[in-house]
Amino acid sequence: MLGRIATVGGLTLLSRVTGFLRDILLAAVLGAGPIADAFFVALRLPNHFRAIFAEGAFNAAFVPAYARIRQQGGADPARLFADRVFTMLLAAELLLLVLALVFTPTVIRLLAPGFADDPGRFALAVDLTRITFPYLVLVSLVTLYGGMLNAVQRFASPAAAPVLLNLSMMATLALAVFFPTAGHAAAWGVLIAGVLEVLLVGADTARRTGLPRLARPRLDADVRAFFRALGPATVGSAGLQIALFADTIIASFLPAGSLSALYYADRLNQLPIGVIGIAVGTVILPEMASRLAGGDDAGARAAQARAMELTLLLSVPCLVAFLLVPDLIMLALFSRGAFTAADAAAAGATLAAYTVGLLPFVLIRSVTATFLARGDTATPVKALLVSVVVNVALKIVLMGPLAQVGLALATAVGAWVNFGLVVWFAVRAGLMGIDPGLVRSVARLAVAAVLLAAALFAGHHGLAAVLPPGRPLRHETMLAALALLGAVVYGAAIGVLFGPQWLRALARRRKVAAGPPPPAPPPGDAG
């Protein structure tokens, strides 16, 4: 399991690094003005629907079902199941695409009503959305192929696919002079990336399991069970996207640049969520589903606890840095070209607000796996819908005094509500309990976080005094020095607090990942 997490996390990190380079180019070419706002609306629209119908609901329902059918019935029933789901998914996505292309102006009025008072931004958003929306059909196929691969413990190509989006957008942005606007260049980069992702993941699927084919739709027992799981999962994903839609709708009424500040802050916030939280969640779901199908409930619980422990271990440095030096991070990463120091300050404040909810953001996928691995997609939805109500209500309250920072803070509070309710439901159902090793690890990681915060605070003030304002690459130098200092301090703290045994414990677990958890103490028990 740890080896698979490393594979997904490493490729996701590569995706985030190339995404960072893409965002540097976006910031330099688009800045944070009206063209950038129009493009980000056009990018969000297919991404919202993708999160609802593809990566969110579909993965939650499909991966456990496909893994169970393949394990219990073999490859042929699993292939037939995939064929029928593929046919229905493709038909639904093509219908949605036609409707979206026909009614794009209406959709933009609903998604960004504030654009109606700015004819230029509105017309550009409509044009760019018609270019980007077909990406939804392509990425839905990628999601289906990736789900089939994940169910057979193959994670590399689905995790690598997002890299192509970043490379494609950078290529078209570099050729922006040949497009009507830089926004058009970025939008075409999105569409081209969808084609490349289908080719990459589709080729791997054809080699590992065989590509799904068009088949006569039939609601057999497996397909009916899939739709029973898909329904609540879709409601839950839609509820989450409502909160994100609210961000876009409300931010469209705020001053120009608010949407862009949300975007750049969210990109940084998504780094630990994607590299750590989603990577662990991607691996733990089929891992727990396989163990539970084999009757190894204790093994499933132990795998989940250790996954959460690893998630926290890797997330603490991001939590501390995003809270203590968000402005410096934004200045060092994006303050060049059309992206000003004022833009960096706005994005930095937004990043700090998002970070209030970073821990539930990274842990939620591992916690909900308790239910999803058992085919229960309804229970997590109950928690999610309550959190969405809290989230949207707080956005309305906070948008006036805090602008886009209030939107981010509301999202963070909603994440804590969601996480707390899911844990409570799991404990009440007897599916989770107190893991002593995890409790001890949390206490030790809290101490390490305090030590890291003290080091970054002192280092930041010391470097600010030593490096005078106006010096070339001042912010980049300060961020690099703080990153090195933080790595040394945090690594030393982990080594002292956990002891060297925890590394050997992780290594032993990696060797026996295919079997039940070994009797050796977990990292939280070592030392």
Side-chain angles (χ1 to χ4, degrees), residues 54-55 58-59 62-63 66 82-83 85-87 89-90 137-159 161 194-214:
E55 293 177 352
F58 184 85
N59 266 349
F62 180 80
V63 173
Y66 184 82
D83 290 345
V85 172
F86 164 74
T87 302
L89 175 68
L90 183 61
V137 177
L138 299 170
V139 81
S140 296
L141 296 179
V142 172
T143 301
L144 173 63
Y145 299 156
M148 296 172 65
L149 291 170
N150 289 351
V152 295
Q153 307 297 339
R154 300 290 179 179
F155 298 95
S157 63
V195 176
L196 297 177
E197 290 180 27
V198 168
L199 294 176
L200 172 67
V201 184
D204 195 15
T205 306
R207 184 168 57 252
R208 303 291 184 182
T209 65
L211 285 173
R213 298 171 293 181
L214 292 175

Side-chain angles (χ1 to χ4, degrees), residues 30 60 70 464 482:
L30 296 182
R70 190 177 179 92
L482 288 180

